[in-house]
Amino acid sequence: MHRLSLFAALLLSAASVVADPLPSWNNGDAKQAITRFVTDVTNAGGEDFVPAAERIAVFDNDGTLWVEQPLYTQLAFVLDRVQALAPAHPEWKEQQPFKAALEGDLATLGAAGREGLMQLLMATHAGMTSEEFSDIVTDWLSQARHPRFERPYTELVYQPMLELLAYLRANGFKTYIVSGGGVDFMRPWTERVYGIPPEQVVGSVIALKYEEREGAPALIREAEVAFVDDKAGKPVGIWRHIGRRPILAFGNSDGDLQMLEWTTAGAGRRLGLILHHDDAEREYAYDRKSHFGKLDKALDAAASEGWTVVSVQSDWNRVFPPTELPR
Amino acid sequence: MHRLSLFAALLLSAASVVADPLPSWNNGDAKQAITRFVTDVTNAGGEDFVPAAERIAVFDNDGTLWVEQPLYTQLAFVLDRVQALAPAHPEWKEQQPFKAALEGDLATLGAAGREGLMQLLMATHAGMTSEEFSDIVTDWLSQARHPRFERPYTELVYQPMLELLAYLRANGFKTYIVSGGGVDFMRPWTERVYGIPPEQVVGSVIALKYEEREGAPALIREAEVAFVDDKAGKPVGIWRHIGRRPILAFGNSDGDLQMLEWTTAGAGRRLGLILHHDDAEREYAYDRKSHFGKLDKALDAAASEGWTVVSVQSDWNRVFPPTELPR
């Protein structure tokens, strides 16, 4: 080998080590599908090139960017808020589903179904201004801890996904969250934690009423759901909010099926990804029969539609950010 | 004067001429209010400093960024679409409000009121996919001409506002449209014309249904209005879409009153602006009694709230972009 080429080879190898933008991803099919896709759509003059303005990537939140077991974080928030508000509502001690919520009786809560859940949601999410609610969420997140990992929920985000978000943005993508969760439950912290600003978070929406409150105009949260951003609602939410069809969609459950379908059915190069939780030791293992984040139809569709299934166990060499990270 | 300071003075004066980011604005109170505001909120360390991420500026569209007389452009589109679709609807010849629309009978149309308008809107805006509607709008705009100025509507945007949008963006602002008009009527062209991408356009929204169409998933526009982004709907639309309170709002009619109120009631430095159409020669003169873009309560509020009223006649030395501009 010539001295010059040896030097070049060393340089290249050093650069590839330094530059790996996805160090928490093992070098397997999933990582290669991602880097190949990004290389191709950013290759000016290549047949798959996509202008930066159209590089829209959408991510589910619960179970895709952060942990959704043993229950959705927003439900943990609801249960804690019912406790916090209980002194002002003595009637809740005898009234379902509040009684079950206060007693942590998840079986009764589950039996109360969607209607019971809506009662709890509205009792804890409505009646204040939009800005007051942001503060309540921020306060709660600063104190709440995950029951198994004993860390703040905002530290139980997936390190490989943080790297993927940053990698996409470094390649001119605009990264969006498209979640069934409440948009106002996510926006107070997504910029700090994911680098995704509030205006790039699409989610379910509560009715808002514009009115005077203490002499100043305010937006009051009303006890009515205005839009559910889940399942077939996800493509609708994307169109309403973004007005473009994404070229990359990443989800983990049947709630993401239509978002993945609609994204990957677009013309030109597209990438659909599904996170498969198969690592009970480092995180959780669940799919077809899970109560939260059920992955059944979308797992079957992945095979027929050519979506990339990402395995927590084999594709990720790290799940969560280091504990010592300042967050 | 030393040779060096003469040279420096010449340089400075040349720079200030070259660098005026708002050449179509006369040097009066309005221009000064704008440049002072931008200077102050971008002055790191100053008491009015606002981090770039929070520099959200919202603009009404009709009558603020482009002409809204003799009628809203979207209504001109509706009337043309009724003509185009009439051969497939022979019954419209006898059926109101379609008969009046076909005959250009604006008096009867006006008398048909909101209900009549909704019938025309739904007959022309629903039944196709979201992407098909974008193409219809784009085709129409390429052919339609304004009755008085005989130019494409997308050339009847205000040159001083194009300069203001660019000036704000150059200072780290994110510029948004917040319009009572249909979001899907604006998004196909706002990026090309204003430099505002589709995802930064907030507007009224039609119901969308996700379903298979010709073997592929699609979003079908349904004959139902899902959200009206006007008056008190504007702050609601802003919160839903952006999730932050803007620091600058620019409108021109009573439809913008609540957006201006809510924006300027926020903590810290804020700027509210109202465009007053008072130049019948170069554009139009209208305010308190106008059918389109009525400016009455908001004009009174401007005085009491300290909003800056911008006069087309005295604050702008040019109204429209030069004809020869390639658009």
Side-chain angles (χ1 to χ4, degrees):
Chain A
M1 199 181 263
H2 289 283
R3 273 178 67 186
L4 194 65
S5 22
L6 175 65
F7 182 64
L10 280 170
L11 257 187
L12 278 172
S13 121
S16 74
V17 169
V18 171
D20 181 1
L22 303 172
S24 301
W25 291 73
N26 293 324
N27 195 14
D29 289 350
K31 181 172 183 170
Q32 281 172 27
I34 291 167
T35 54
R36 204 164 46 230
F37 177 78
V38 170
T39 303
D40 290 349
V41 300
T42 56
N43 174 22
E47 60 177 315
D48 291 328
F49 180 71
V50 175
E54 289 164 31
R55 290 180 210 150
I56 303 289
V58 290
F59 291 80
D60 170 58
N61 186 42
D62 296 306
T64 299
L65 296 179
W66 75 350
V67 166
E68 65 181 346
Q69 301 287 353
L71 78 176
Y72 297 136
T73 306
Q74 194 170 357
L75 285 186
F77 169 78
V78 165
L79 297 181
D80 281 1
R81 289 300 295 164
V82 169
Q83 296 283 359
L85 296 169
H89 296 273
E91 73 280 11
W92 285 356
K93 278 187 197 146
E94 303 304 327
Q95 186 186 326
Q96 294 296 10
F98 299 97
K99 183 170 185 286
L102 289 170
E103 294 167 357
D105 174 0
L106 295 179
T108 302
L109 276 184
R114 191 185 156 77
E115 202 179 314
L117 174 63
M118 289 307 294
Q119 281 183 271
L120 296 177
L121 266 174
M122 292 305 124
T124 53
H125 282 61
M128 68 293 282
T129 72
S130 49
E131 280 146 346
E132 284 163 359
F133 185 74
S134 297
D135 291 342
I136 292 169
V137 170
T138 302
D139 284 352
W140 180 79
L141 280 171
S142 72
Q143 293 165 27
R145 295 293 179 271
H146 186 276
R148 172 175 161 195
F149 297 107
E150 296 176 350
R151 296 176 68 175
Y153 289 95
T154 47
E155 290 185 6
L156 296 173
V157 298
Y158 304 126
Q159 176 67 22
M161 299 303 282
L162 298 183
E163 294 167 6
L164 176 56
L165 291 170
Y167 171 57
L168 290 172
R169 290 192 291 260
N171 281 281
F173 282 75
K174 222 166 179 172
T175 53
Y176 281 84
I177 291 171
V178 178
S179 169
V183 73
D184 291 321
F185 184 73
M186 297 181 281
R187 284 177 170 165
W189 53 272
T190 55
E191 184 151 37
R192 177 174 61 86
V193 174
Y194 301 134
I196 296 179
E199 59 268 29
Q200 286 166 222
V201 181
V202 182
S204 295
V205 166
I206 205 166
L208 293 172
K209 190 174 181 193
Y210 180 78
E211 67 177 36
E212 289 259 318
R213 177 69 59 115
E214 291 167 14
L219 294 168
I220 309 300
R221 297 170 59 86
E222 296 201 298
E224 184 192 331
V225 174
F227 180 69
V228 177
D229 189 61
D230 199 25
K231 300 191 173 71
K234 288 204 175 193
V236 173
I238 291 169
W239 188 263
R240 277 193 189 178
H241 198 101
I242 309 175
R244 311 194 206 240
R245 200 191 288 231
I247 63 168
L248 183 157
F250 206 141
N252 81 301
S253 80
D254 286 359
D256 305 312
L257 177 61
Q258 290 84 350
M259 172 171 86
L260 279 153
E261 272 179 359
W262 187 65
T263 298
T264 57
R269 188 78 175 273
R270 309 274 159 161
L271 185 62
L273 297 139
I274 287 189
L275 186 61
H276 190 197
H277 294 271
D278 56 0
D279 192 330
E281 199 177 316
R282 294 189 301 171
E283 201 234 2
Y284 293 94
Y286 60 100
D287 47 35
R288 297 185 189 272
K289 291 183 174 166
S290 177
H291 192 63
F292 299 106
K294 177 176 166 183
L295 174 63
D296 184 32
K297 286 181 195 166
L299 195 55
D300 294 334
S304 57
E305 302 281 342
W307 302 335
T308 298
V309 177
V310 175
S311 154
V312 170
Q313 191 170 95
S314 58
D315 285 311
W316 289 359
N317 59 56
R318 173 190 277 284
V319 177
F320 300 121
T323 316
E324 63 274 17
L325 252 189
R327 302 201 63 75
Chain B
M1 196 181 266
H2 289 281
R3 271 178 67 188
L4 193 64
S5 20
L6 175 65
F7 182 63
L10 280 170
L11 257 187
L12 278 172
S13 118
S16 74
V17 169
V18 171
D20 180 2
L22 303 173
S24 302
W25 291 73
N26 293 324
N27 196 14
D29 289 350
K31 181 173 183 170
Q32 281 170 29
I34 291 168
T35 54
R36 203 163 48 232
F37 177 79
V38 170
T39 303
D40 291 349
V41 300
T42 57
N43 175 21
E47 61 177 313
D48 291 329
F49 179 73
V50 176
E54 289 164 31
R55 291 179 208 150
I56 304 288
V58 290
F59 290 81
D60 170 57
N61 185 43
D62 296 305
T64 299
L65 296 179
W66 76 349
V67 167
E68 66 180 346
Q69 300 289 353
L71 78 175
Y72 297 137
T73 306
Q74 194 170 356
L75 284 186
F77 169 78
V78 165
L79 296 181
D80 280 0
R81 289 300 296 163
V82 169
Q83 295 284 358
L85 296 168
H89 295 274
E91 73 280 10
W92 285 356
K93 279 188 195 146
E94 302 306 327
Q95 186 185 327
Q96 293 296 10
F98 299 98
K99 183 168 184 285
L102 288 170
E103 294 167 355
D105 174 0
L106 295 179
T108 302
L109 276 183
R114 190 185 157 77
E115 201 180 315
L117 175 62
M118 290 306 295
Q119 280 185 271
L120 296 178
L121 266 174
M122 292 305 126
T124 53
H125 282 61
M128 68 292 282
T129 71
S130 49
E131 281 147 345
E132 284 163 357
F133 185 73
S134 298
D135 291 342
I136 292 170
V137 170
T138 302
D139 283 352
W140 181 80
L141 281 170
S142 72
Q143 292 165 26
R145 295 294 179 271
H146 187 276
R148 173 176 159 195
F149 297 107
E150 297 178 347
R151 294 176 68 175
Y153 289 95
T154 48
E155 290 185 6
L156 297 174
V157 297
Y158 304 126
Q159 176 65 24
M161 299 303 282
L162 297 183
E163 294 167 7
L164 176 56
L165 291 170
Y167 171 58
L168 291 171
R169 289 193 291 260
N171 281 282
F173 281 77
K174 221 166 178 172
T175 52
Y176 281 84
I177 291 171
V178 178
S179 167
V183 73
D184 291 321
F185 184 73
M186 297 181 281
R187 284 177 168 167
W189 52 272
T190 55
E191 185 152 33
R192 177 174 60 86
V193 173
Y194 301 135
I196 297 180
E199 58 268 28
Q200 285 165 226
V201 180
V202 182
S204 296
V205 167
I206 204 167
L208 293 172
K209 189 174 182 196
Y210 180 78
E211 65 177 38
E212 289 258 319
R213 177 71 57 117
E214 292 169 10
L219 294 168
I220 309 299
R221 296 170 59 84
E222 295 203 296
E224 185 192 332
V225 173
F227 180 69
V228 178
D229 188 61
D230 199 26
K231 300 190 174 69
K234 288 204 175 192
V236 173
I238 291 169
W239 188 264
R240 279 193 186 179
H241 198 101
I242 308 175
R244 313 194 204 240
R245 202 191 285 232
I247 63 168
L248 182 157
F250 206 142
N252 80 301
S253 80
D254 286 359
D256 305 312
L257 177 60
Q258 291 85 350
M259 172 171 87
L260 279 152
E261 271 179 0
W262 187 65
T263 298
T264 57
R269 188 77 175 275
R270 308 274 160 161
L271 185 62
L273 297 138
I274 286 189
L275 185 61
H276 189 196
H277 294 271
D278 56 0
D279 192 330
E281 199 177 315
R282 294 190 301 171
E283 201 235 1
Y284 293 94
Y286 59 100
D287 47 35
R288 296 186 190 273
K289 291 184 174 167
S290 177
H291 190 63
F292 299 105
K294 177 176 167 183
L295 174 63
D296 184 32
K297 287 181 196 166
L299 193 56
D300 294 335
S304 57
E305 302 281 342
W307 303 334
T308 297
V309 177
V310 175
S311 154
V312 171
Q313 190 169 97
S314 57
D315 284 311
W316 289 358
N317 60 54
R318 174 191 275 285
V319 178
F320 300 121
T323 317
E324 64 276 13
L325 253 190
R327 301 201 65 75

